[in-house]
């Protein structure tokens, strides 16, 4: 709990710093990210209090009349993924009509993320593949690395939905039974695919010297290890995530890293408790 509170306080501090500097775009970003962090730990009322009038703010910042992307981003941060898809789809159609390949890649990337959250993996895969092809065609290595991270995120989300649990199986005997089912094999395959994407992204970001990209890749690898219940390895990746976040001075990213570290620590403790319980049950059966 202490690390969760510390992570959230870093998020709040980022909002305060952005507000004191009078930077509207940073205030917007900080409030969105803090709202997402608050939702992830069930503090919904406080999350709602972070909701600014995002669409209007983004219109003012961009000077654009067509704010499809900005409206979509606002819906995305608030967890309104179906509405985000509608906005991003409008942007994709406009980009195709104008034959703007860079804009099309950006819209496809956003659609891929939104479809992932809506549990529509085939549509997400199509959008990610389109965006990745465009990034490579344009020679945009940073976008390529980012897409590999997001494709890893998509694979983790599919694995989670396949297991039917947010953090796979918490009971050791149940986990062993699940491993031998068809769904268990699918989950292993998707987590393996996610790990490959994250590792490719990690290689690319290190080649580019992108500390922020490295942070995102480590965050993804940590989530994979959490799903696999390899809690010690998860904590190592989240420690690297935190190190990178501190290097770039991103308080929100530091908060997220601390939250994930706390989850991995809790998962390890719970796994130890289940193992002790299984051992006691086994000893009791032998005694009888």
């Amino acid at each position: 709990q202490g690390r969760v509170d510390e992570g959230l306080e870093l998020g709040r501090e980022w909002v305060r710093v952005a507000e004191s500097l009078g930077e509207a775009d940073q205030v917007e970003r900080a409030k969105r990210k803090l709202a997402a962090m608050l939702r992830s730990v069930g503090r919904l009322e406080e999350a709602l209090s972070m909701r600014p009038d995002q669409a209007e703010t983004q219109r003012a910042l961009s000077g654009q009349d067509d704010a499809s992307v900005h409206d979509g981003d606002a819906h995305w941060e608030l967890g309104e993924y179906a509405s985000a898809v509608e906005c991003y789809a409008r942007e994709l159609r406009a980009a195709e009509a104008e034959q703007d390949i860079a804009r099309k890649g950006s819209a496809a990337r956003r659609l891929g993320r939104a479809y992932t959250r809506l549990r529509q993996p085939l549509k997400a895969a199509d959008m990610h593949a389109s965006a990745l092809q465009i990034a490579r065609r344009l020679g945009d290595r940073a976008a390529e690395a980012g897409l590999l991270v997001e494709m890893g995120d998509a694979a983790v989300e599919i694995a989670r939905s396949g297991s039917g649990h947010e953090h796979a199986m918490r009971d050791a005997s149940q986990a062993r039974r699940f491993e031998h089912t068809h769904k268990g094999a699918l989950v292993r395959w998707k987590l393996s695919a996610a790990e490959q994407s994250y590792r490719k992204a990690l290689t690319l970001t290190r080649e580019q010297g992108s500390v922020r990209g490295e942070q995102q890749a480590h965050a993804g690898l940590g989530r994979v290890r959490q799903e696999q219940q390899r809690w010690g390895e998860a904590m190592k990746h989240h420690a690297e995530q935190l190190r990178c976040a501190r290097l770039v001075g991103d308080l929100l990213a530091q908060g997220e890293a601390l939250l994930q570290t706390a989850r991995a620590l809790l998962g390890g403790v719970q796994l130890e408790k289940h193992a002790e319980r299984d051992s006691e049950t086994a000893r009791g059966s032998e005694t009888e």
Side-chain angles (χ1 to χ4, degrees):
Q1 183 62 38
R3 293 193 182 189
V4 170
D5 290 337
E6 184 181 353
L8 292 174
E9 185 52 37
L10 281 168
R12 296 186 187 101
E13 178 63 20
W14 184 270
V15 173
R16 289 193 289 269
V17 169
E19 288 176 335
S20 68
L21 295 173
E23 298 180 356
D25 57 339
Q26 288 299 316
V27 172
E28 185 86 6
R29 175 173 176 263
K31 285 188 174 182
R32 288 180 182 177
K33 295 294 288 185
L34 178 55
M37 291 165 65
L38 288 163
R39 285 200 311 275
S40 74
V41 294
R43 301 188 185 182
L44 301 181
E45 289 188 6
E46 190 176 351
L48 287 172
S49 72
M50 290 294 106
R51 179 174 186 161
D53 188 354
Q54 295 165 327
E56 289 303 318
T57 302
Q58 289 289 8
R59 285 190 184 95
L61 289 170
S62 65
Q64 296 178 0
D65 292 327
D66 185 349
S68 294
V69 169
H70 306 302
D71 289 350
D73 289 349
H75 287 300
W76 163 268
E77 294 293 349
L78 293 166
E80 299 166 354
Y81 304 120
S83 296
V85 162
E86 293 177 6
C87 295
Y88 296 148
R90 283 200 303 271
E91 174 67 7
L92 182 61
R93 289 192 295 271
E96 290 173 338
E98 296 177 13
Q99 298 184 332
D100 186 333
I101 187 171
R103 187 177 171 190
K104 178 181 176 181
S106 176
R109 180 176 180 176
R110 284 174 162 86
L111 273 168
R113 288 187 299 174
Y115 279 131
T116 295
R117 293 300 178 90
L118 287 172
R119 300 289 193 271
Q120 297 182 34
L122 296 180
K123 290 183 179 180
D126 285 345
M127 290 297 106
H128 280 133
S130 177
L132 185 61
Q133 183 180 30
I134 290 171
R136 286 172 173 165
R137 179 177 168 184
L138 295 174
D140 190 339
R141 302 282 276 174
E144 182 180 351
L147 276 159
L148 286 167
V149 168
E150 288 168 15
M151 290 169 78
D153 292 345
V156 170
E157 288 297 325
I158 295 167
R160 282 177 169 173
S161 63
S163 70
H165 294 263
E166 184 179 358
H167 292 293
M169 301 294 151
R170 299 193 185 277
D171 181 271
S173 59
Q174 186 181 10
R176 286 192 293 272
R177 290 194 299 272
F178 183 77
E179 283 287 313
H180 297 289
T181 66
H182 174 72
K183 281 189 175 181
L186 175 63
V187 168
R188 290 196 304 276
W189 177 67
K190 294 310 295 184
L191 289 176
S192 176
E195 182 176 356
Q196 289 179 32
S197 286
Y198 290 135
R199 290 203 180 279
K200 287 178 183 177
L202 187 59
T203 299
L204 278 175
T205 53
R206 283 175 172 169
E207 289 175 356
Q208 298 162 17
S210 172
V211 179
R212 190 177 294 279
E214 187 178 341
Q215 166 214 310
Q216 293 170 344
H218 277 299
L221 286 166
R223 287 194 295 273
V224 168
R225 292 297 181 248
Q226 285 191 49
E227 293 301 315
Q228 295 170 331
Q229 295 192 17
R230 294 160 66 173
W231 305 109
E233 293 177 44
M235 291 184 69
K236 288 179 182 178
H237 282 297
H238 292 312
E240 285 297 299
Q241 176 189 358
L242 180 59
R243 178 186 65 81
C244 293
R246 284 174 172 161
L247 283 175
V248 297
D250 190 331
L251 294 178
L252 281 170
Q254 290 176 47
E256 290 173 350
L258 287 166
L259 283 174
Q260 292 299 331
T261 301
R263 287 175 175 171
L265 182 62
L266 178 60
V269 170
Q270 289 179 331
L271 191 64
E272 288 179 4
K273 288 181 178 178
H274 284 303
E276 290 175 3
R277 187 185 65 190
D278 287 350
S279 178
E280 290 173 0
T281 301
R283 285 197 298 270
S285 299
E286 290 174 1
T287 302
E288 293 175 2

